[in-house]
Amino acid sequence: MANSDDEYVYDDATGEWRPASELAVQSAAGNEVRDASGNVLADGDSVVLIKDLKVKGAGQTLKQGTVIRSIRLTDNPDEIDCRHDTIKGLVLRTEFVRKR
């Protein structure tokens, strides 16, 4: 329930004016990064590829089942930074990985 002293912010998603405290709680929960199975990912997790991926610019294909260790989360909840033995600066979409 909003206090009478609460500041209101326009929410573009719903088109309504909503209490700022309510939006702050939602944005904190909305920043979770999830894998293809819906598991929450965190910095340092290991993930497994769920399908073969052609790597642009490297002329390589990462095979299904390849383990990627020590991922790093990005500002985009749909992407993770990671390193592979042969590919530096690899960015993967979370829809193609599963938490190990």
Side-chain angles (χ1 to χ4, degrees):
M1 186 119 212
N3 294 337
S4 61
D5 297 341
D6 207 0
E7 210 175 294
Y8 284 81
V9 178
Y10 186 75
D11 182 10
D12 291 328
T14 63
E16 299 174 344
W17 286 92
R18 303 186 55 195
S21 59
E22 184 179 307
L23 289 177
V25 169
Q26 282 183 342
S27 67
N31 289 339
E32 290 180 338
V33 177
R34 295 185 177 269
D35 68 1
S37 300
N39 299 317
V40 177
L41 297 173
D43 282 336
D45 282 348
S46 294
V47 295
V48 177
L49 297 180
I50 61 170
K51 68 179 272 183
D52 292 352
L53 298 175
K54 292 181 184 177
V55 181
K56 293 179 182 179
Q60 257 183 295
T61 301
L62 293 175
K63 299 291 182 185
Q64 178 180 351
T66 301
V67 176
I68 306 290
R69 292 180 181 85
S70 299
I71 66 167
R72 289 181 310 280
L73 303 181
T74 63
D75 293 336
N76 184 346
D78 295 328
E79 296 177 346
I80 54 173
D81 279 333
C82 47
R83 296 178 72 181
H84 187 263
D85 296 339
T86 57
I87 306 167
K88 305 294 186 238
L90 181 63
V91 177
L92 294 175
R93 304 242 342 136
T94 56
E95 64 192 277
F96 301 122
V97 299
R98 186 182 72 236
K99 190 173 183 173
R100 187 163 188 237

